[in-house]
Amino acid sequence: YSESQKSWVDFKENVKFSEDEKSFFFVSDFQGTGRVYQYSVQGNRIRSYGNNKINITKFLRRDGKGNIFASGFPLGSTDNYIYRFDSGGRQRLITKDSGYYSGVVSPDGKYILVNYSNITTPNQLRLINTKKRTTTLLYDSKSNEFANYQLGKTELFYIPNRDGLKLPAKWILPPGFDK
């Protein structure tokens, strides 16, 4: 395997072997957006998973049926989701709520244990059943004490730079603040 880009080449930290040890998986953005690549141990590309609409950032697992699980974000978004790609490369969004997800996929791909949060939701531990498409809340770090506090409002907004890119920013307004 070799890779070249005009800017720089990222070091491959999240490389994982297939169960049969005949190939390996990693994430690269050398085609413009992050994708999962599968290469043989001889260094030949077998296939890629992803498209130009999402940026895959982490390979999670390949299950026994050949489905690939990965996390990433839609272009132009601050949200990070978990996706499944079947053996034909078709993509399915597993996580739906806006926010940030990190997860561990069971060997058969039936369950995903995820940490979830967003700008208004403290960390939660959720169990997703990918076959039944159900989610069970296992732990919520937002305790009953949380209701005893008057918190400011958190808002996400974008600031355009001179190149026209919209950079995400957030602020926390004091309680009762009137813009």
Side-chain angles (χ1 to χ4, degrees):
Y1 168 79
S2 68
E3 178 179 329
S4 63
Q5 294 190 42
K6 290 180 183 179
S7 54
W8 64 81
V9 175
D10 287 329
F11 181 73
K12 308 295 182 251
E13 295 181 28
N14 188 27
V15 179
K16 296 188 179 173
F17 278 98
S18 61
E19 300 79 17
D20 60 9
E21 297 184 358
K22 293 181 179 178
S23 63
F24 57 93
F25 300 88
F26 63 90
V27 174
S28 179
D29 64 356
F30 72 86
Q31 287 186 302
T33 57
R35 298 169 193 235
V36 174
Y37 291 91
Q38 180 182 9
Y39 273 76
S40 70
V41 292
Q42 292 78 27
N44 301 314
R45 187 162 104 185
I46 296 171
R47 70 168 299 137
S48 67
Y49 302 85
N51 57 53
N52 291 330
K53 295 179 181 173
I54 59 171
N55 192 43
I56 297 297
T57 55
K58 187 170 185 183
F59 170 77
L60 299 174
R61 174 178 293 279
R62 181 172 80 166
D63 68 14
K65 295 178 184 169
N67 296 311
I68 299 294
F69 293 86
S71 62
F73 58 90
L75 296 183
S77 174
T78 58
D79 295 326
N80 188 70
Y81 298 102
I82 295 178
Y83 299 88
R84 185 191 82 186
F85 298 91
D86 67 20
S87 57
R90 289 180 297 275
Q91 165 191 316
R92 184 178 123 206
L93 180 64
I94 300 291
T95 53
K96 307 241 189 281
D97 295 338
S98 178
Y100 184 85
Y101 294 87
S102 62
V104 178
V105 181
S106 66
D108 64 0
K110 184 177 179 183
Y111 296 102
I112 306 174
L113 192 59
V114 298
N115 283 304
Y116 166 77
S117 66
N118 65 29
I119 64 171
T120 59
T121 305
N123 193 50
Q124 295 179 340
L125 182 63
R126 298 176 176 185
L127 181 66
I128 298 172
N129 183 320
T130 62
K131 305 300 180 221
K132 294 181 180 178
R133 297 185 182 197
T134 58
T135 301
T136 304
L137 179 63
L138 301 177
Y139 174 77
D140 189 344
S141 64
K142 184 177 179 179
S143 69
N144 293 337
E145 271 302 301
F146 201 79
N148 295 332
Y149 294 93
Q150 186 179 9
L151 301 173
K153 183 178 180 184
T154 303
E155 293 182 345
L156 178 68
F157 58 98
Y158 295 87
I159 302 170
N161 70 8
R162 65 180 135 195
D163 296 329
L165 294 174
K166 293 181 180 177
L167 304 175
K170 76 173 181 177
W171 63 16
I172 302 173
L173 301 171
F177 183 77
D178 185 9
K179 294 185 210 177

